[in-house]
Amino acid sequence: MKRASRTDRVRNARRARWGVQRRRKAVQLVRARRSRAAKQQSVRLGARVDIFAPVLFCVRRAEPRGRLFRFFDQVERALQAGQKVRLNFSDTDELQPCGTLVFRARLDIWVHLYPSSVSCIYPKKDVVEQLFQHIGVLELLGLDARRPEITHDQVRHWNYHSGRLMEASIYRATASLRDQIEHPERALFADCLNEAVYNTVNHAYEFEIEGLPVPELRKWWMFSQVRDGKLFVAIYDFGVTIPASLLRKPEWRDFTRLRKRDGLLIEAAAASGRTSTRLRHRGKGLPEMLEFSKKLRDGGLTIMSRTGAFTFRAAQGHSRREKYVVPLPGTLVLWELPFLGLDTNG
């Protein structure tokens, strides 16, 4: 038998590869058509999909942050496909303020954009159910409050507020605690808190980018708590993020080397009130909070936005930056201060 030439062998190998590729593409096409047909059928039937929430609601640590945002993505994809979603919290075991506040903001948006399409079943764990009742999650999702009063020690101290405007009455209870904060200039606490909310209202949604909520939901969300000798405040907005805001301003040219390094941009925004950088982000809120925190004996300040975070710890007197793979829409501020007074629900 005549041996095939090198040219023939190369040609035959190519034809074989092309045949395999054509068969693969045909299989992929059939699968894609079936998938689209299944989705269309489920939408026509008004199918409901159960989506399980993660065990831990947290955005400060990389692993639970990734799980929480995958949960958000699942919910949003189903809603966008026209499905009804039932949130299942049977696995949820721990709700940290950082992740819970971000979830509460997302829930407001889902319920507004897809009315009657989001529901849930009662959580299995008592502390989760009590917190969801306390901050209005159950009511928002159409479930009755089953607890006549909130008694769990991890829940009853929390206060939840949200708003679109500068309504001092909403956070006056938190600001009124200033006289019991352990700080040489404790009277400045109310000004810092006021400035933080003011700047969220006026600057967090200062220009349009993809992914912003509809105008009526461009607001702020807040947790506050006094417990175990500490006052804790968390403020979140779903806005344009600190890095995106800074990179639009002419002053950012002085910080070209910081491009794509969100933690450094957040640090620059927080430090802009005391350095010669002349960077301005959301008025005086973040620099004032950082300066106030530097005179604390304990506690500190964390600012998270997009893929970066900046943290100052008062006890050690130093700061650090974090980098995340999963971006956080908007900005989350976590503030912890030593407290001289008794624990309170105020």
Side-chain angles (χ1 to χ4, degrees):
M1 179 181 294
K2 183 180 178 181
R3 184 179 179 183
S5 67
R6 183 176 182 279
T7 302
D8 290 337
R9 291 198 302 273
V10 170
R11 185 185 298 114
N12 292 336
R14 286 177 177 171
R15 287 174 177 171
R17 284 199 299 271
W18 290 338
V20 171
Q21 290 171 356
R22 283 196 295 271
R23 286 194 293 274
R24 283 178 180 170
K25 287 182 179 178
V27 170
Q28 290 171 354
L29 184 61
V30 170
R31 288 176 177 172
R33 286 174 178 169
R34 288 175 178 172
S35 177
R36 285 196 297 270
K39 287 180 181 178
Q40 291 169 357
Q41 179 69 8
S42 67
V43 170
R44 284 195 297 270
L45 295 175
R48 185 190 69 197
V49 57
D50 278 28
I51 298 179
F52 284 77
V55 173
L56 171 62
F57 281 30
C58 174
V59 297
R60 297 186 74 166
R61 288 160 39 203
E63 249 185 75
R65 178 188 180 115
R67 295 192 194 100
L68 183 61
F69 276 88
R70 282 195 291 275
F71 165 62
F72 293 161
D73 289 343
Q74 282 183 288
V75 173
E76 286 166 6
R77 283 198 300 269
L79 292 172
Q80 290 164 6
Q83 294 177 302
K84 294 183 181 296
V85 171
R86 185 170 69 174
L87 306 179
N88 191 317
F89 299 107
S90 59
D91 293 336
T92 304
D93 185 66
E94 183 179 350
L95 300 171
Q96 293 190 7
C98 57
T100 307
L101 197 57
V102 174
F103 163 70
R104 187 62 177 81
R106 291 273 181 145
L107 186 61
D108 274 354
I109 295 169
W110 295 339
V111 171
H112 179 86
L113 293 180
Y114 306 98
S116 304
S117 293
V118 188
S119 61
C120 78
I121 60 176
Y122 286 104
K124 282 187 177 180
K125 192 162 185 181
D126 181 61
V127 65
V128 177
E129 180 176 343
Q130 287 203 34
L131 184 56
F132 280 175
Q133 176 176 320
H134 190 48
I135 65 175
V137 170
L138 298 184
E139 180 182 4
L140 199 60
L141 293 174
L143 291 182
D144 294 329
R146 302 193 300 185
R147 302 290 187 273
E149 60 178 329
I150 302 301
T151 58
H152 202 290
D153 195 52
Q154 294 180 25
V155 177
R156 63 190 180 90
H157 299 287
W158 282 109
N159 295 281
Y160 166 73
H161 304 294
S162 70
R164 292 184 59 210
L165 304 173
M166 274 290 295
E167 300 172 14
S169 60
I170 292 178
Y171 54 86
R172 186 175 292 143
T174 301
S176 68
L177 299 172
R178 64 185 181 185
D179 292 336
Q180 299 178 75
I181 294 172
E182 189 177 347
H183 191 280
E185 299 175 284
R186 59 176 66 97
L188 296 177
F189 168 73
D191 293 335
C192 292
L193 187 63
N194 179 75
E195 192 71 27
V197 176
Y198 172 85
N199 285 301
T200 297
V201 170
N202 287 277
H203 300 290
Y205 307 100
E206 61 184 334
F207 55 86
E208 292 294 325
I209 62 171
E210 184 179 357
L212 285 186
V214 294
E216 52 269 36
L217 287 177
R218 296 180 183 181
K219 58 181 185 175
W220 50 267
W221 292 262
M222 180 192 292
F223 278 153
S224 64
Q225 173 186 250
V226 174
R227 186 167 178 252
D228 299 331
K230 291 182 179 178
L231 167 62
F232 183 86
V233 180
I235 305 173
Y236 178 62
D237 69 69
F238 210 106
V240 298
T241 78
I242 292 173
S245 181
L246 285 184
L247 291 173
R248 283 177 59 97
K249 300 178 184 297
E251 295 90 337
W252 84 270
R253 297 189 187 95
D254 298 332
F255 288 82
T256 304
R257 63 186 177 84
L258 304 183
R259 193 177 178 92
K260 297 183 180 179
R261 300 177 70 179
D262 290 350
L264 285 168
L265 288 168
I266 295 168
E267 183 178 13
S272 63
R274 63 179 176 85
T275 71
S276 59
T277 62
R278 295 179 290 107
L279 286 172
R280 304 293 291 168
H281 177 78
R282 306 187 184 186
K284 301 176 290 183
L286 299 180
E288 284 188 346
M289 295 174 89
L290 180 57
E291 287 301 304
F292 189 92
S293 301
K294 288 183 176 180
K295 297 178 181 178
L296 298 170
R297 65 164 178 81
D298 198 5
L301 177 70
T302 295
I303 306 163
M304 309 179 72
S305 194
R306 210 160 70 176
T307 60
F310 169 75
T311 296
F312 172 79
R313 299 306 304 172
Q316 294 78 25
H318 67 76
S319 60
R320 71 176 188 274
R321 295 182 296 270
E322 302 283 350
K323 179 176 174 58
Y324 299 94
V325 174
V326 180
L328 172 72
T331 298
L332 175 65
V333 177
L334 308 172
W335 205 15
E336 188 179 297
L337 309 98
F339 195 74
L340 298 171
L342 298 174
D343 292 357
T344 176
N345 287 337

